[in-house]
Structures are given as structure tokens and as C-alpha cells.
Amino acid sequence: MRLRIQVAEDGTPTAVKIERSSGSDTLDHQAMESVRKNWRWPAGKAGAYTVPMNFTLK
């Protein structure tokens, strides 16, 4: 899976889009929610970032 994340000047994600799906709607949704709620970049790092995410099912 790969996400495209837009980051504001204060380091918070302002938009999260799926660039390449994991193939599971549930995993895609959980990944986007995790980024929105938990991820932060250092202040001053505004921009768009492409982030790969790998999942391991146990």
C-alpha cells in the first residue's frame, strides 16, 4: 500500500489519499485513519509525501 499525505506547516496531516491500495478496504481505511489521528511531522515540514505502508497479518 502507498499513501499520499499532505502535511500542513504545523506538521499535521491535512489530506490522506490512497495512491496504491492494499487490496483490502478495511486495511486501507485503518491506515488512513491512523495517519490522520496519530502521525505528526516536525513543524516547518509542510508538503506532500508519499509513504509506503507494509502490513503483516498474524
Side-chain angles (χ1 to χ4, degrees), residues 13-53:
T14 58
V16 182
K17 295 182 180 179
I18 297 170
E19 199 169 84
R20 187 177 68 208
S21 176
S22 68
S24 166
D25 290 341
T26 302
L27 287 177
D28 292 350
H29 177 75
Q30 288 299 113
M32 291 189 329
E33 284 302 307
S34 177
V35 169
R36 287 186 190 110
K37 291 180 181 178
N38 303 312
W39 289 27
R40 298 295 176 264
W41 280 256
K45 296 288 185 180
Y49 298 90
T50 299
V51 179
M53 296 187 80

